[in-house]
Amino acid sequence: MMSSIVIYFSRSGENYFGGELKNIEKGNTEVIAEYIQELDNADLFKVEPADEYPDDYMKCIDVAKKEQQSDARPEIKETLDSIDAYDTVYIGFPNWWGTLPMPMFTQLEQLDFKGKTVKPFVTHEGSDFGSSQKDLKKLCEGALIKKGLSIPGANVYDSKDAVKSWINE
């Protein structure tokens, strides 16, 4: 039986939307992850940093930039130890400074992707995947990486049909 999991990072609170800052109760990437869960009966695993990012958007992006510049591997609250039970692994994240948030590196580096199908998705406000697809090739060595899905954060609540089409590709 084919089985799938969504490994994702998402941040609620103050976020950037089409030129302005807005507070959101649920992170954009989490919205897409839940669509995938519903449409593909996938399990969910949310990667959460042990130390929460600041609620203030500008402070958050400063912390994220410093983590990236130092190639940090922030500690995470819970670690997914294995993806052996899954055939398909969806990997979702917001584009932070051109790639995945550093807690995703912490998690993904610990998994064996050999023989898995990886389907990445990203939420963003105009930056698409940035260099994250190159990073995913390194992080998911041995996996078949399929075409990714890129959704502007401001459009997540109108994207369920796009997510369904992408899952079925």
Side-chain angles (χ1 to χ4, degrees), residues 21 27 29 34 45 54 57 68 75 89 92 94 99 125 134 142 167:
L21 294 174
T29 307
E34 289 176 352
F45 183 83
Y57 178 77
Q68 187 182 77
E75 191 175 324
V89 181
T99 192
E125 281 303 317
K134 178 182 67 156
I167 287 171

Side-chain angles (χ1 to χ4, degrees), residues 34-73:
E34 289 176 352
Y35 289 160
I36 295 168
Q37 177 186 37
E38 175 188 334
L39 295 165
D40 196 30
N41 198 30
D43 290 338
L44 290 179
F45 183 83
K46 184 175 184 180
V47 175
E48 298 179 87
D51 295 324
E52 293 291 327
Y53 287 99
D55 287 336
D56 178 276
Y57 178 77
M58 299 310 285
K59 289 178 183 172
C60 175
I61 63 170
D62 284 344
V63 170
K65 186 174 193 174
K66 286 176 182 144
E67 285 178 349
Q68 187 182 77
Q69 289 171 337
S70 67
D71 201 26
R73 296 299 184 267

Side-chain angles (χ1 to χ4, degrees), residues 26-134:
K26 183 180 289 190
N28 296 324
T29 307
E30 188 161 13
V31 172
I32 303 303
E34 289 176 352
Y35 289 160
I36 295 168
Q37 177 186 37
E38 175 188 334
L39 295 165
D40 196 30
N41 198 30
D43 290 338
L44 290 179
F45 183 83
K46 184 175 184 180
V47 175
E48 298 179 87
D51 295 324
E52 293 291 327
Y53 287 99
D55 287 336
D56 178 276
Y57 178 77
M58 299 310 285
K59 289 178 183 172
C60 175
I61 63 170
D62 284 344
V63 170
K65 186 174 193 174
K66 286 176 182 144
E67 285 178 349
Q68 187 182 77
Q69 289 171 337
S70 67
D71 201 26
R73 296 299 184 267
E75 191 175 324
I76 54 179
K77 287 183 182 176
E78 185 181 347
T79 301
L80 179 64
D81 295 322
S82 172
I83 52 173
D84 290 350
Y86 303 100
D87 302 300
T88 301
V89 181
Y90 296 94
I91 298 176
F93 50 92
N95 181 332
W96 279 15
W97 296 107
T99 192
L100 302 84
M102 297 315 285
M104 288 294 286
F105 283 82
T106 302
Q107 174 59 71
L108 297 177
E109 286 176 343
Q110 299 180 47
L111 298 171
D112 180 4
F113 285 91
K114 286 181 188 67
K116 304 297 179 189
T117 297
V118 169
K119 296 184 86 171
F121 63 98
V122 65
T123 56
H124 61 90
E125 281 303 317
S127 52
D128 200 42
F129 273 96
S131 64
S132 62
Q133 289 176 311
K134 178 182 67 156

